[in-house]
Amino acid sequence: MRVLLKWLLSAVALLFVAYVYSGVEVRSFGAALIAAFVIGLFNVVLRPVLVLLTLPVTIVTLGLFLFVINALMFWAAASLLDGFQVTGFAAALLGSLIYSLLGVLIESALGGLFAQQ
């Protein structure tokens, strides 16, 4: 139940990112659901590999390169999907930052919601 709720809230967060930032476009809630799934899948499968491969750069930049990796995951998902578009890398960087902040809020809310039961 928690995973399904997180997926739905992540899709809503993606729609919110598209609403507040013009560099990100989501055509429908269905497209947002698919995009949230693909971004989550990329974060589970590809992100750990990229973090490991870029560990020296991440250490030198004191972890700031992780923002670039997040933006690449966001941009890669947009390049694969039709209903989800990002205008460029800078838009992917800002869009992924907003999406990540909303993701932290979602995790916090779900942690509080499911901890009470």
Side-chain angles (χ1 to χ4, degrees):
M1 182 69 172
R2 179 186 168 113
V3 173
L4 184 62
L5 191 56
K6 182 178 180 194
W7 178 40
L8 291 172
L9 290 174
S10 295
V12 171
L14 199 55
L15 286 171
F16 180 77
V17 170
Y19 179 75
V20 297
Y21 182 56
S22 63
V24 176
E25 179 186 334
V26 180
R27 291 192 187 141
S28 66
F29 185 68
L33 282 171
I34 294 169
F37 177 77
V38 170
I39 290 170
L41 189 65
F42 281 177
N43 282 334
V44 168
V45 176
L46 294 177
R47 189 174 191 274
V49 174
L50 287 175
V51 168
L52 188 62
L53 290 175
T54 61
L55 192 59
V57 176
T58 303
I59 291 171
V60 169
T61 61
L62 303 175
L64 293 177
F65 194 74
L66 293 175
F67 291 121
V68 173
I69 293 173
N70 284 343
L72 288 173
M73 297 295 101
F74 202 75
W75 201 13
S79 69
L80 290 177
L81 302 172
D82 287 333
F84 175 49
Q85 294 179 350
V86 178
T87 57
F89 182 75
L93 185 62
L94 188 55
S96 70
L97 283 173
I98 298 168
Y99 185 67
S100 295
L101 289 173
L102 292 172
V104 168
L105 292 175
I106 290 168
E107 277 294 320
S108 175
L110 289 179
L113 179 68
F114 284 98
Q116 292 174 351
Q117 294 180 355

